[in-house]
């Protein structure tokens, strides 16, 4: 019996059912607590992902933040994920998040070749930067809440 | 060439336009976002005086509503046929509620405003549904992450996996799930809500198609996998109730390759 650690993969099954292949893998493994995702052009998605690494704060809102005339940049802590390290920076100017950047990203190339190719693809895919994130339609309030928790990390 | 990045609150969510433009985009973004607000004013069921709210209360008829109402009505009917009834704009209370389609329908109309102006290099994130323009030049914007099936405000929020749509026919990803607003999609064929999966992401050539199929799949349950697999130009990735994934045949090829 394999460990039930969320970073431990169970073998990938590729089933043929009714003429179409169904790929089954353990989502827990690729969720893995990975907190990253970068839009180098300051998109909110990266902010939201950064947000997932800090305690949500409801006491700070963008409008309550004292506007700062000059840009202020905060670097997140380097985050280790099972296959590398990532670190994000967030810049605020005039009270708004103006830029989110990736200042460090590494992925250990070439996982053990014994892993099945599908699993390899899923792991690799999760270690890739991206421009947008698709998810269930969030409300404006949820969006602000997620943004606030990222902003609360700024000095 | 300069970057633009615009957030617009509308329809209870946030739309984000990000792209590159040679011309001043402000005027055209305004026209694009006006399109969204106009659609909201007509179709919102949260605004008691909107034509749709009045229609739902039986105070008016489709023919008395603005012309787009009939247009959307017909569009909903054609999607109901294509999805074998799993997409439905008629609620269990028999009122007309096209919200499963209006957000992305309006998003597409908004995008046309930018395209007409010659702004062709951008993406639109319509509250979690993604549209990529044909002229998208920035490599990372061809990559679309799929959220974990938890709220973006959740401490566990983050990325499930990443798709890379560059070099493919696909331009849109839409996700339906219970993470943000609970079980908001009704089952048009019975009173039972499916418990098979918590989230489905549909990859398609346009954002309305992706959105409609994601809504239909969420209503139908995991049997929609075979239905979508039998459709050309459509792929889907499901997060099952136990956390495992299932997908149509083409998804594996769409998973992003490692950057190094």
């Amino acid at each position: 019996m394999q460990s039930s650690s969320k970073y431990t993969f169970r073998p990938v099954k590729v089933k043929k059912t009714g003429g179409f292949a169904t790929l089954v893998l353990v989502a827990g493994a690729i969720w893995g607590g990975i907190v990253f995702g970068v839009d180098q052009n300051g998109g909110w998605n990266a902010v939201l992902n950064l947000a997932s690494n800090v305690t949500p704060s409801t006491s700070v809102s963008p409008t309550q933040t004292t506007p700062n005339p000059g840009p202020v940049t905060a670097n997140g802590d380097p985050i280790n994920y099972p296959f590398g390290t990532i670190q994000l920076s967030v810049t605020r100017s005039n009270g708004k998040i103006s830029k989110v950047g990736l200042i460090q990203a590494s992925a250990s190339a070439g996982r053990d070749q014994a892993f099945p190719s599908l699993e390899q693809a899923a792991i690799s895919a999760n270690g890739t930067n991206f421009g947008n994130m698709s998810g269930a339609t969030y409300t404006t309030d949820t969006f602000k809440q997620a943004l606030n928790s990222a902003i609360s990390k700024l000095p | 060439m300069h970057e633009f990045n615009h957030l617009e609150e509308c329809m209870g969510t946030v739309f984000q336009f990000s792209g590159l433009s040679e011309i001043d985009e402000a005027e055209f973004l305004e026209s694009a976002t006006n399109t969204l607000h106009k659609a909201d004013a007509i179709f919102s069921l949260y605004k008691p005086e909107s034509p749709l709210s009045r229609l739902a209360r039986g105070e008016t008829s489709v023919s008395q509503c603005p012309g787009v109402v009939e247009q959307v009505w017909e569009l909903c009917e054609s999607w109901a046929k294509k999805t074998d009834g799993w997409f439905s704009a008629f609620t269990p209370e028999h009122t007309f509620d096209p919200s499963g389609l209006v957000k992305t329908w309006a998003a597409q109309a908004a995008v046309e405003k930018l395209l007409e102006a010659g702004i062709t290099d951008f993406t639109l994130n319509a509250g979690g549904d993604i549209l990529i323009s044909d002229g998208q030049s920035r490599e990372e914007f061809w990559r679309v992450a799929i959220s974990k099936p938890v709220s973006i405000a959740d401490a566990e929020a983050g990325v499930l996996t990443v798709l890379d749509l560059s070099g493919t026919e696909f331009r849109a990803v839409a996700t339906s799930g219970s993470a943000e607003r609970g079980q908001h999609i009704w089952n048009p064929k019975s009173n039972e809500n499916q418990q098979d999966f918590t989230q489905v992401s549909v990859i398609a050539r346009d954002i309305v198609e992706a959105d409609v199929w994601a809504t239909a799949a969420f209503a139908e349950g995991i049997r929609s996998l075979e239905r979508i697999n039998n459709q050309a130009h459509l792929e889907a990735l499901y997060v099952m109730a136990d956390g495992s994934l299932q997908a149509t045949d083409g998804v594996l090829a769409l998973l992003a390759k490692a950057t190094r």
Side-chain angles (χ1 to χ4, degrees), chain B residues 216-227:
Chain B
F218 198 88
E220 183 176 11
I222 196 59
R223 276 182 299 179
S224 60
L225 198 162
E226 188 160 8
R227 184 186 304 282

PDB file of all heavy atoms in Angstrom, chain B residues 216-227:
ATOM      1  N   ALA B 216     -24.075  22.344 -19.379  1.00  0.00           N
ATOM      2  CA  ALA B 216     -24.814  21.116 -19.707  1.00  0.00           C
ATOM      3  C   ALA B 216     -24.171  19.896 -19.050  1.00  0.00           C
ATOM      4  O   ALA B 216     -24.855  19.039 -18.492  1.00  0.00           O
ATOM      5  CB  ALA B 216     -24.860  20.934 -21.223  1.00  0.00           C
ATOM      6  N   ALA B 217     -22.842  19.840 -19.100  1.00  0.00           N
ATOM      7  CA  ALA B 217     -22.134  18.696 -18.509  1.00  0.00           C
ATOM      8  C   ALA B 217     -22.347  18.662 -17.003  1.00  0.00           C
ATOM      9  O   ALA B 217     -22.548  17.595 -16.422  1.00  0.00           O
ATOM     10  CB  ALA B 217     -20.637  18.784 -18.829  1.00  0.00           C
ATOM     11  N   PHE B 218     -22.321  19.836 -16.383  1.00  0.00           N
ATOM     12  CA  PHE B 218     -22.513  19.880 -14.930  1.00  0.00           C
ATOM     13  C   PHE B 218     -23.906  19.373 -14.561  1.00  0.00           C
ATOM     14  O   PHE B 218     -24.085  18.692 -13.562  1.00  0.00           O
ATOM     15  CB  PHE B 218     -22.283  21.297 -14.384  1.00  0.00           C
ATOM     16  CG  PHE B 218     -22.050  21.305 -12.909  1.00  0.00           C
ATOM     17  CD1 PHE B 218     -20.770  21.151 -12.400  1.00  0.00           C
ATOM     18  CD2 PHE B 218     -23.110  21.412 -12.014  1.00  0.00           C
ATOM     19  CE1 PHE B 218     -20.550  21.110 -11.031  1.00  0.00           C
ATOM     20  CE2 PHE B 218     -22.892  21.373 -10.639  1.00  0.00           C
ATOM     21  CZ  PHE B 218     -21.609  21.225 -10.151  1.00  0.00           C
ATOM     22  N   ALA B 219     -24.880  19.706 -15.392  1.00  0.00           N
ATOM     23  CA  ALA B 219     -26.243  19.234 -15.119  1.00  0.00           C
ATOM     24  C   ALA B 219     -26.362  17.720 -15.342  1.00  0.00           C
ATOM     25  O   ALA B 219     -26.988  17.024 -14.548  1.00  0.00           O
ATOM     26  CB  ALA B 219     -27.240  19.968 -16.012  1.00  0.00           C
ATOM     27  N   GLU B 220     -25.732  17.231 -16.379  1.00  0.00           N
ATOM     28  CA  GLU B 220     -25.914  15.816 -16.742  1.00  0.00           C
ATOM     29  C   GLU B 220     -25.148  14.848 -15.855  1.00  0.00           C
ATOM     30  O   GLU B 220     -25.594  13.730 -15.611  1.00  0.00           O
ATOM     31  CB  GLU B 220     -25.523  15.582 -18.215  1.00  0.00           C
ATOM     32  CG  GLU B 220     -25.779  14.131 -18.645  1.00  0.00           C
ATOM     33  CD  GLU B 220     -25.495  13.860 -20.116  1.00  0.00           C
ATOM     34  OE1 GLU B 220     -24.906  14.739 -20.790  1.00  0.00           O
ATOM     35  OE2 GLU B 220     -25.861  12.763 -20.580  1.00  0.00           O
ATOM     36  N   GLY B 221     -23.958  15.272 -15.408  1.00  0.00           N
ATOM     37  CA  GLY B 221     -23.132  14.333 -14.653  1.00  0.00           C
ATOM     38  C   GLY B 221     -22.097  13.696 -15.565  1.00  0.00           C
ATOM     39  O   GLY B 221     -21.910  14.110 -16.718  1.00  0.00           O
ATOM     40  N   ILE B 222     -21.459  12.655 -15.066  1.00  0.00           N
ATOM     41  CA  ILE B 222     -20.295  12.097 -15.759  1.00  0.00           C
ATOM     42  C   ILE B 222     -20.654  11.422 -17.086  1.00  0.00           C
ATOM     43  O   ILE B 222     -19.779  11.233 -17.949  1.00  0.00           O
ATOM     44  CB  ILE B 222     -19.491  11.148 -14.828  1.00  0.00           C
ATOM     45  CG1 ILE B 222     -18.088  10.884 -15.392  1.00  0.00           C
ATOM     46  CG2 ILE B 222     -20.264   9.863 -14.557  1.00  0.00           C
ATOM     47  CD1 ILE B 222     -17.240  12.122 -15.601  1.00  0.00           C
ATOM     48  N   ARG B 223     -21.931  11.133 -17.295  1.00  0.00           N
ATOM     49  CA  ARG B 223     -22.292  10.569 -18.599  1.00  0.00           C
ATOM     50  C   ARG B 223     -22.052  11.564 -19.739  1.00  0.00           C
ATOM     51  O   ARG B 223     -21.948  11.197 -20.900  1.00  0.00           O
ATOM     52  CB  ARG B 223     -23.735  10.078 -18.602  1.00  0.00           C
ATOM     53  CG  ARG B 223     -23.816   8.664 -18.015  1.00  0.00           C
ATOM     54  CD  ARG B 223     -25.232   8.137 -18.059  1.00  0.00           C
ATOM     55  NE  ARG B 223     -26.112   9.009 -17.269  1.00  0.00           N
ATOM     56  CZ  ARG B 223     -27.409   8.807 -17.133  1.00  0.00           C
ATOM     57  NH1 ARG B 223     -27.983   7.810 -17.747  1.00  0.00           N
ATOM     58  NH2 ARG B 223     -28.144   9.623 -16.393  1.00  0.00           N
ATOM     59  N   SER B 224     -21.930  12.827 -19.387  1.00  0.00           N
ATOM     60  CA  SER B 224     -21.631  13.849 -20.405  1.00  0.00           C
ATOM     61  C   SER B 224     -20.244  13.645 -21.004  1.00  0.00           C
ATOM     62  O   SER B 224     -19.950  14.149 -22.091  1.00  0.00           O
ATOM     63  CB  SER B 224     -21.727  15.245 -19.785  1.00  0.00           C
ATOM     64  OG  SER B 224     -20.799  15.370 -18.718  1.00  0.00           O
ATOM     65  N   LEU B 225     -19.382  12.897 -20.313  1.00  0.00           N
ATOM     66  CA  LEU B 225     -18.021  12.696 -20.824  1.00  0.00           C
ATOM     67  C   LEU B 225     -18.064  12.038 -22.198  1.00  0.00           C
ATOM     68  O   LEU B 225     -17.411  12.484 -23.138  1.00  0.00           O
ATOM     69  CB  LEU B 225     -17.208  11.853 -19.835  1.00  0.00           C
ATOM     70  CG  LEU B 225     -15.681  11.888 -19.962  1.00  0.00           C
ATOM     71  CD1 LEU B 225     -15.046  11.387 -18.671  1.00  0.00           C
ATOM     72  CD2 LEU B 225     -15.138  11.101 -21.124  1.00  0.00           C
ATOM     73  N   GLU B 226     -18.873  10.996 -22.310  1.00  0.00           N
ATOM     74  CA  GLU B 226     -18.960  10.301 -23.588  1.00  0.00           C
ATOM     75  C   GLU B 226     -19.617  11.194 -24.646  1.00  0.00           C
ATOM     76  O   GLU B 226     -19.197  11.234 -25.799  1.00  0.00           O
ATOM     77  CB  GLU B 226     -19.741   9.000 -23.429  1.00  0.00           C
ATOM     78  CG  GLU B 226     -19.688   8.154 -24.674  1.00  0.00           C
ATOM     79  CD  GLU B 226     -20.010   6.685 -24.416  1.00  0.00           C
ATOM     80  OE1 GLU B 226     -20.424   6.357 -23.293  1.00  0.00           O
ATOM     81  OE2 GLU B 226     -19.848   5.893 -25.360  1.00  0.00           O
ATOM     82  N   ARG B 227     -20.629  11.951 -24.210  1.00  0.00           N
ATOM     83  CA  ARG B 227     -21.321  12.847 -25.129  1.00  0.00           C
ATOM     84  C   ARG B 227     -20.333  13.880 -25.698  1.00  0.00           C
ATOM     85  O   ARG B 227     -20.296  14.134 -26.902  1.00  0.00           O
ATOM     86  CB  ARG B 227     -22.445  13.569 -24.381  1.00  0.00           C
ATOM     87  CG  ARG B 227     -23.313  14.464 -25.250  1.00  0.00           C
ATOM     88  CD  ARG B 227     -24.310  15.249 -24.397  1.00  0.00           C
ATOM     89  NE  ARG B 227     -25.153  14.398 -23.571  1.00  0.00           N
ATOM     90  CZ  ARG B 227     -26.205  13.713 -24.035  1.00  0.00           C
ATOM     91  NH1 ARG B 227     -26.535  13.804 -25.299  1.00  0.00           N
ATOM     92  NH2 ARG B 227     -26.930  12.976 -23.229  1.00  0.00           N
TER      93      ARG B 227
END
